Amino acid sequence: MSSIAIRPIHRAVGFYEAPIGKKAVMAVTGLVLFGYVVAHLLGNLQIYSSDPTQINKYAAFLHNPANAIALLMARTFLLVCVGLHITASVQLWLQNRAARPIGYFKKDDVPASYAARTMIWSGPIVGAFVTFHVLHLTVGSVLPLHEVEGGAFLSPDVHYNVITGFQNPLVAGFYILAISLLCTHLYHGIWSMFQSVGVSHPRYTPLLKKFAALCAIVIALGNISIPVACLAGWLKV
Ligand code: HEM
């Protein structure tokens, strides 16, 4: 390979090695994952439709064999983003720790917010939640999944699975806790993303923080409303 071809690769590696490179990777992959969370919430809110089969029709569309390649590509892309997001965050944390090898007593003068301080463990808990969640509602190995005849192929009865799953207070409670943590993670993540891409100015900072908080609260309330509605008996099979 000529040195001209190698140079951009060196430049990209050099950029990634610096903290700003890892922050950029976290910002881009975080944005993709945020987009997934928003799209997934919009899909899930169909559980409130007056037609109980509405959410099942949506799931059947996603599981339609005609969409198998698109689904595989989307899942692979999301997994790659999750992998890059975690790798960059761990490397950044190690890099920051190595940059201040002597233990210090006094933290920054400005105290870090609760969301910022919990970033390093809200991430792994959200990871544990997603693993449990996929086993619960996609694979059906935690609580039995209900299958329905969906035309030419079998698809899960999402309406039944979600409502019966959340009638278990332990499961519903775990979801509520994990989603609350996800949203503190999102709040800090959205806010940090603006800083990483250079959208940070004393005049706009309060506005950006409010925007990040609004996104996190809307996502938390939308998601948490589902286990709450099932526990309260407002949603029935
Ligand atoms: C109460 C809130 C939620 C409900 C009711 C819900 C519901 C579901 C259901 C029914 C499925 C299976 C879909 C299917 O196989 O057809 C699913 C899959 C999934 N959910 Fe959720 N979800 C919720 C919150 C979340 C959150 C907050 C996240 C992300 C942090 C998330 C991430 C995922 C992922 C990654 C999958 C697997 C997607 C796939 O199979 O490709 N979910 N969810």
Side-chain angles (χ1 to χ4, degrees):
M1 215 187 284
S2 78
S3 66
I4 296 173
I6 292 170
R7 219 174 290 149
I9 300 172
H10 276 176
R11 229 181 273 155
V13 171
F15 177 66
Y16 182 76
E17 275 172 356
I20 186 66
K22 294 182 190 64
K23 284 186 182 176
V25 168
M26 288 189 69
V28 173
T29 52
L31 191 63
V32 170
L33 297 171
F34 173 73
Y36 172 77
V37 169
V38 172
H40 189 48
L41 172 62
L42 293 177
N44 288 339
L45 289 176
Q46 294 178 63
I47 196 127
Y48 292 116
S49 164
S50 53
D51 172 7
T53 64
Q54 173 61 37
I55 195 161
N56 288 358
K57 287 182 197 148
Y58 169 67
F61 166 76
L62 294 180
H63 287 273
N64 190 319
N67 300 327
I69 292 182
L71 186 64
L72 180 69
M73 281 166 63
R75 282 174 164 167
T76 310
F77 179 59
L78 282 173
L79 274 177
V80 169
C81 286
V82 169
L84 288 173
H85 197 77
I86 295 172
T87 308
S89 72
V90 171
Q91 288 180 335
L92 193 62
W93 183 73
L94 291 174
Q95 207 168 25
N96 285 344
R97 208 181 56 159
R100 36 167 206 254
I102 307 158
Y104 57 96
F105 298 99
K106 190 173 169 286
K107 297 228 173 187
D108 297 337
D109 289 340
V110 182
S113 71
Y114 174 76
R117 279 183 282 118
T118 57
M119 235 23 206
I120 199 72
W121 54 265
S122 61
I125 293 178
V126 169
F129 159 72
V130 173
T131 309
F132 173 83
H133 178 53
V134 169
L135 292 174
H136 176 203
L137 288 174
T138 304
V139 181
S141 56
V142 184
L143 295 172
L145 261 186
H146 197 259
E147 301 284 323
V148 288
E149 203 70 46
F153 56 94
L154 275 175
S155 63
D157 187 344
V158 171
H159 187 261
Y160 177 92
N161 294 337
V162 168
I163 295 175
T164 52
F166 290 153
Q167 278 165 353
N168 179 333
L170 278 180
V171 172
F174 177 53
Y175 269 74
I176 293 170
L177 175 76
I179 291 166
S180 308
L181 281 172
L182 167 72
C183 290
T184 63
H185 191 91
L186 280 181
Y187 165 65
H188 185 76
I190 296 169
W191 162 234
S192 311
M193 184 187 72
F194 286 125
Q195 287 182 311
S196 302
V197 296
V199 187
S200 163
H201 184 280
R203 190 189 290 174
Y204 307 120
T205 298
L207 205 66
L208 293 177
K209 281 195 167 173
K210 278 190 190 138
F211 174 74
L214 186 71
C215 289
I217 290 170
V218 168
I219 292 173
L221 291 181
N223 275 303
I224 289 175
S225 74
I226 300 175
V228 168
C230 297
L231 272 183
W234 300 324
L235 278 173
K236 293 191 180 78
V237 281

